[in-house]
């Protein structure tokens, strides 16, 4: 088993295998490796709990959908030989994770931007776990909180395009959740990473909200039900023509060019009862463009 597959078994299979796999239970590579290392560490039993056969059968198939949160894509290689010491998830997995330096990264947080990674993981789940219905429960782009967040728009266009490619190859994706509606508290990063399509002024006691440019894109997307998508070419970010009027300035994440040379891809992003951003926050001011 290569390093990338082993990483997927530890990060994804640990939770997915017992429910979605044909045989149930934890991935064999986890069971065998952790039992082996546990014995050498002096444990009487494996640190990974053992399911009884009736428990395996009870858990298997108990799902309404497969929930996937996708943050970023990494490459993997074999890790160095790790001596037996303090028990560790990463020691058990034993892979090295790294980026390709040619990949674009987010301006804050430095996460990789690799839309093909979204496509690959959707195809992996589809093929390995018997075509479950998939809800993408979170996928987003962190920045410093700029209102003219063209980088976020491009991210959503590219990742939705990859989702569409997976759907066209038989993957049953029925939900895509933009991460996130509001700027918020992001775990160990606190308030430094801004994911929202709505800006929150944390220096104001009223926590004033302002719609970012990406909120306009989400509104456009849910209303028109298709994306107009073009790849980055020579540093130019192609965004929907219907968002015209935007002029590039120092507050933008990238140079912007409005063009009609776009690739239209239809997508039923939401159902007919979608609640618009105006209905959620009817009194929020919008960025002037």
């Amino acid at each position: 088993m290569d390093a990338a597959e082993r990483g997927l078994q530890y990060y994804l299979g640990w939770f997915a295998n017992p429910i979605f796999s044909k045989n149930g239970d934890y991935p064999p590579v986890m069971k065998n490796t952790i039992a082996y290392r546990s014995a050498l560490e002096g444990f009487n039993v494996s640190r990974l709990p053992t399911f009884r056969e009736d428990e395996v059968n009870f858990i298997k198939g108990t799902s309404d959908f497969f929930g996937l949160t996708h943050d970023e894509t990494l490459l993997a290689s074999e890790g160095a030989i790790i001596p037996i010491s303090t028990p560790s998830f990463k020691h058990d997995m034993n892979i090295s994770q790294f980026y390709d330096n040619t990949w674009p990264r987010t301006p804050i947080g430095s996460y990789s931007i690799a839309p093909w990674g979204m496509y690959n993981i959707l195809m992996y789940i589809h093929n390995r776990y018997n075509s479950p219905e998939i809800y993408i429960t979170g996928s987003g782009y962190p920045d410093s909180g700029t209102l003219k967040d063209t980088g976020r728009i491009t991210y959503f266009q590219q990742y939705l395009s990859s989702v569409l490619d997976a759907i066209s190859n038989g993957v049953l994706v029925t939900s895509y959740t933009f991460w996130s509606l509001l700027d918020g508290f992001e775990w160990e990063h606190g308030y430094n990473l801004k994911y929202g399509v709505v800006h929150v002024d944390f220096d104001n006691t009223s926590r004033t909200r302002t719609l970012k440019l990406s909120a306009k894109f989400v509104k456009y997307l849910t209303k028109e039900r298709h994306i107009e998508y073009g790849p980055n070419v020579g540093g130019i970010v192609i965004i929907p023509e219907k968002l015209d009027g935007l002029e590039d300035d120092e507050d933008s994440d990238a140079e912007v060019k409005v063009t009609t040379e776009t690739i239209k891809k239809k997508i039923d992003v939401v159902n007919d009862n979608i609640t618009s951003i105006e209905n959620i926050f009817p009194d929020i001011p919008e960025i002037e463009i």
Side-chain angles (χ1 to χ4, degrees), residues 9-286:
Q9 290 297 301
Y10 273 78
Y11 280 123
L12 185 71
W14 185 12
F15 306 99
N17 248 55
I19 299 172
F20 293 95
S21 69
K22 180 180 179 180
N23 296 323
D25 209 343
Y26 292 124
V29 66
M30 292 190 70
K31 294 173 63 177
N32 296 336
T33 301
I34 296 174
Y36 172 75
R37 293 186 65 88
S38 295
L40 294 180
E41 290 160 354
F43 290 91
N44 293 326
V45 296
S46 175
R47 289 182 278 103
L48 183 69
T50 301
F51 289 126
R52 301 189 309 269
E53 183 177 356
D54 64 306
E55 291 175 325
V56 170
N57 292 328
F58 179 78
I59 295 170
K60 188 170 55 178
T62 54
S63 69
D64 294 313
F65 59 88
F66 193 116
L68 173 70
T69 296
H70 180 79
D71 289 323
E72 63 174 339
T73 296
L74 295 168
L75 299 175
S77 63
E78 293 294 338
I81 296 176
I82 300 175
I84 299 300
S85 57
T86 304
S88 164
F89 170 83
K90 291 187 176 181
H91 289 175
D92 293 336
M93 182 169 56
N94 192 25
I95 64 173
S96 296
Q97 301 172 81
F98 56 96
Y99 299 101
D100 184 320
N101 290 330
T102 65
W103 296 352
R105 308 276 279 275
T106 59
I108 302 293
S110 197
Y111 293 114
S112 66
I113 301 174
W116 53 266
M118 173 70 87
Y119 171 83
N120 285 353
I121 193 62
L122 290 173
M123 294 304 302
Y124 180 89
I125 294 168
H126 172 74
N127 292 325
R128 186 175 186 87
Y129 296 119
N130 194 31
S131 309
E133 180 179 7
I134 300 173
Y135 287 13
I136 298 173
T137 53
S139 177
Y141 174 96
D143 61 16
S144 61
T146 177
L147 295 178
K148 293 185 179 180
D149 53 342
T150 57
R152 180 169 291 109
I153 293 172
T154 301
Y155 174 95
F156 285 147
Q157 289 174 315
Q158 292 177 335
Y159 275 73
L160 282 170
S161 182
S162 290
V163 172
L164 286 170
D165 289 340
I167 291 172
S168 69
N169 281 290
V171 180
L172 182 60
V173 179
T174 57
S175 176
Y176 182 103
T177 301
F178 294 98
W179 190 263
S180 61
L181 178 63
L182 298 169
D183 291 336
F185 188 86
E186 296 294 337
W187 300 95
E188 72 271 20
H189 301 289
Y191 295 104
N192 293 323
L193 301 185
K194 306 296 195 300
Y195 278 91
V197 299
V198 178
H199 177 271
V200 179
D201 184 356
F202 292 106
D203 294 325
N204 188 311
T205 56
S206 298
R207 301 294 188 262
T208 305
R209 273 80 160 166
T210 304
L211 297 183
K212 301 178 186 178
L213 188 62
S214 57
K216 289 178 174 284
F217 171 71
V218 173
K219 174 184 175 181
Y220 161 80
L221 181 68
T222 54
K223 179 181 179 181
E224 301 296 332
R225 297 180 181 275
H226 69 264
I227 57 176
E228 295 184 44
Y229 167 77
N232 288 340
V233 180
I236 302 299
V237 178
I238 302 174
I239 66 173
E241 187 179 28
K242 291 187 179 181
L243 290 177
D244 58 6
L246 175 65
E247 296 180 357
D248 183 38
D249 67 11
E250 62 184 8
D251 198 33
S252 297
D253 289 328
E255 184 180 358
V256 175
K257 179 181 180 181
V258 177
T259 178
T260 58
E261 296 177 3
T262 54
I263 304 169
K264 294 185 178 181
K265 293 189 174 183
K266 297 193 69 176
I267 180 170
D268 286 330
V269 183
V270 291
N271 60 39
D272 291 331
N273 297 318
I274 183 69
T275 300
S276 70
I277 285 180
E278 289 96 329
N279 290 337
I280 298 173
F281 295 113
D283 300 322
I284 292 181
E286 295 186 7

